[in-house]
Amino acid sequence: MNYINEMNECEANQFEDFLDKYLKMDPNAEVANFLKAYALFEKKEYEKALDVLHKLEKKNPKYLGAYDLAIQVEMAQGNFVAIKKEFQKAIDCDQFDNTLTQRWIQYCAMQGINQSTAQKMLDNLMIKSLEKRGKVKEAEQFKKKLGY
């Protein structure tokens, strides 16, 4: 996504105008909404970016990019409570991968938590999420795998 960073202001405005026009024709276009949120994030219009991202999460809870970018937006604002909520939403939707694992470790490092402790915290969040969703067998298998 770095290509948005490399645009000059005129190009960025033209790109955003294009996205606005496209979204008027198809307001549910996931990629266009994601790019709109990313453009808003780059302009430091954090609340607007989060509004777009939260709508994306509701429309498609399995759209991992929305959680990832929402976490980055919240990190930029230092909103640690909201960051944890975004992680929990991604975990609860079974939408957690290596990218979000790295974000979690980054989030914990910002709070002075070492990587080993961060991984244990993440493992516990995942176990609780599985149990909360009635996936007791999967939670037990995960615990066994971790040696709990």
Side-chain angles (χ1 to χ4, degrees), residues 53-101:
L53 292 166
H54 291 154
K55 288 176 185 174
L56 263 176
E57 291 170 357
K58 285 180 184 173
K59 287 179 188 172
N60 182 358
K62 299 213 179 274
Y63 193 5
L64 182 61
Y67 299 107
D68 183 33
L69 186 54
I71 290 164
Q72 291 180 67
V73 172
E74 296 294 6
M75 283 180 156
Q77 298 180 96
N79 191 345
F80 294 110
V81 173
I83 293 167
K84 193 168 182 182
K85 286 180 184 177
E86 287 296 329
F87 277 113
Q88 191 65 57
K89 286 191 292 186
I91 291 168
D92 288 347
C93 292
D94 285 328
Q95 295 303 303
F96 212 84
D97 70 354
N98 290 335
T99 300
L100 287 182
T101 300

Side-chain angles (χ1 to χ4, degrees), residues 31-72:
V31 173
N33 274 294
F34 177 82
L35 290 172
K36 175 71 175 178
Y38 191 86
L40 291 165
F41 168 60
E42 287 297 317
K43 291 170 45 179
K44 298 184 180 359
E45 293 183 25
Y46 299 132
E47 291 308 313
K48 289 180 183 179
L50 287 170
D51 184 49
V52 172
L53 292 166
H54 291 154
K55 288 176 185 174
L56 263 176
E57 291 170 357
K58 285 180 184 173
K59 287 179 188 172
N60 182 358
K62 299 213 179 274
Y63 193 5
L64 182 61
Y67 299 107
D68 183 33
L69 186 54
I71 290 164
Q72 291 180 67

Side-chain angles (χ1 to χ4, degrees), residues 100-142:
L100 287 182
T101 300
Q102 292 305 313
R103 294 259 185 266
W104 175 260
I105 291 168
Q106 182 183 9
Y107 157 73
C108 289
M110 291 170 72
Q111 294 191 24
I113 301 168
N114 71 39
Q115 188 170 347
S116 174
T117 302
Q119 187 62 54
K120 287 178 185 171
M121 290 169 62
L122 180 58
D123 293 341
N124 286 328
L125 283 173
M126 290 182 162
I127 290 167
K128 287 179 185 176
S129 176
L130 287 168
E131 291 171 343
K132 180 173 78 174
R133 292 179 287 139
K135 296 184 175 189
V136 179
K137 186 176 179 180
E138 290 94 332
E140 290 304 318
Q141 289 172 340
F142 192 56

